[in-house]
Amino acid sequence: EEQLVESGGGLVQPGGSLRLSCAVSGFTFSDYYMDWVRQAPGKGLEWIGRSRPKANGYTTEYAASVRGRFTVSRDDSKNSLYLQMDSLKADDTAMYYCARGYHSFDVWGRGTMVTVSS
Amino acid sequence: DIQMTQSPSAMSASVGDRVSITCRASQDISKSLAWFQQKPGKAPKSLIYAASSLQSGVPSKFSGSGSGTDFTLTISSLQPEDFATYYCQQYKSYPYTFGQGTKLEI
């Protein structure tokens, strides 16, 4: 069974940093595009970043709202996707989901909550 | 960026009803359109991709149609578990964008 499990969320002060992880099992992680999507409390879904597999040069894409502050990376040897979040703002408070980028987003994790507050 | 606009934003229906939700893209996205269902406190679930293709394991009561800029999600014979929020999403170009959601209530 394909499974994505996010971790690393928590409370962080404005201007701080946090690193989220997404552990993958049940499929060949190294073959797939992988994405991060977030959802602020009571709001809709926002795509924030993508990691392409080795076959596509490990390249990345970002939403304008996080470009330059967030970095998506992956470690195929650990079947893991990461989201390094720097210079965090109150507006970054959200549930963060990782998703497999196949046929849009076909498999999702349960999410990890990030709260940016002093 | 491509803007996705869903209508209605909320609607009420009864068990057994057939309902449709529409999604309009601000520019031509061909058939690069997906639909998701989200229940309170849960992760989104993929229902449809490529505008009309059903994700594996999704019941055939869900169907999608459209291409270009206008799309529709239809749910037949509503059951209590179908009451949720539904989102459309375009994956024609970056940044990928979602509609604002349609809350389907009893």
Side-chain angles (χ1 to χ4, degrees):
Chain A
E1 179 191 0
E2 300 135 337
Q3 196 168 12
L4 310 177
V5 179
E6 302 92 338
S7 60
L11 176 64
V12 60
Q13 292 188 337
S17 297
L18 210 57
R19 189 195 195 206
L20 306 184
S21 299
C22 172
V24 166
S25 60
F27 63 94
T28 306
F29 173 74
S30 58
D31 288 346
Y32 285 89
Y33 289 59
M34 296 294 299
D35 295 87
W36 287 98
V37 177
R38 69 182 180 183
Q39 186 170 36
K43 303 298 183 181
L45 300 166
E46 179 188 18
W47 171 84
I48 57 172
R50 159 162 283 191
S51 166
R52 295 186 181 91
K54 181 179 181 180
N56 299 95
Y58 289 132
T59 52
T60 53
E61 301 283 348
Y62 296 96
S65 59
V66 305
R67 191 178 296 122
R69 301 188 299 122
F70 290 12
T71 303
V72 179
S73 62
R74 63 196 296 158
D75 185 337
D76 290 348
S77 68
K78 296 182 178 180
N79 288 337
S80 292
L81 180 73
Y82 303 103
L83 181 66
Q84 176 67 41
M85 304 186 295
D86 298 320
S87 303
L88 282 161
K89 310 173 185 179
D91 286 352
D92 296 318
T93 294
M95 181 70 78
Y96 285 74
Y97 297 100
C98 66
R100 187 171 74 174
Y102 182 68
H103 287 163
S104 175
F105 310 126
D106 66 332
V107 183
W108 294 66
R110 293 185 177 183
T112 188
M113 185 69 199
V114 173
T115 302
V116 184
S117 174
S118 55
Chain B
D1 298 2
I2 299 175
Q3 298 241 15
M4 306 300 293
T5 304
Q6 291 179 230
S7 59
S9 295
M11 62 187 298
S12 59
S14 300
V15 172
D17 284 355
R18 179 176 189 245
V19 299
S20 292
I21 299 168
T22 63
C23 177
R24 176 163 288 178
S26 61
Q27 63 191 75
D28 188 340
I29 60 170
S30 185
K31 300 194 78 172
S32 300
L33 190 283
W35 288 97
F36 299 88
Q37 175 194 66
Q38 187 177 33
K39 297 179 180 179
K42 301 293 187 182
K45 174 186 176 182
S46 178
L47 299 175
I48 286 170
Y49 65 95
S52 59
S53 296
L54 220 56
Q55 282 285 4
S56 175
V58 173
S60 58
K61 62 187 302 179
F62 294 94
S63 63
S65 64
S67 66
T69 60
D70 293 311
F71 302 87
T72 302
L73 172 70
T74 299
I75 312 169
S76 63
S77 187
L78 280 172
Q79 297 302 305
E81 62 269 22
D82 300 328
F83 292 91
T85 299
Y86 293 85
Y87 294 92
C88 64
Q89 178 249 335
Q90 68 82 18
Y91 53 100
K92 178 67 172 177
S93 66
Y94 298 108
Y96 292 165
T97 46
F98 290 86
Q100 80 279 17
T102 295
K103 187 173 185 179
L104 176 57
E105 299 175 301
I106 298 176

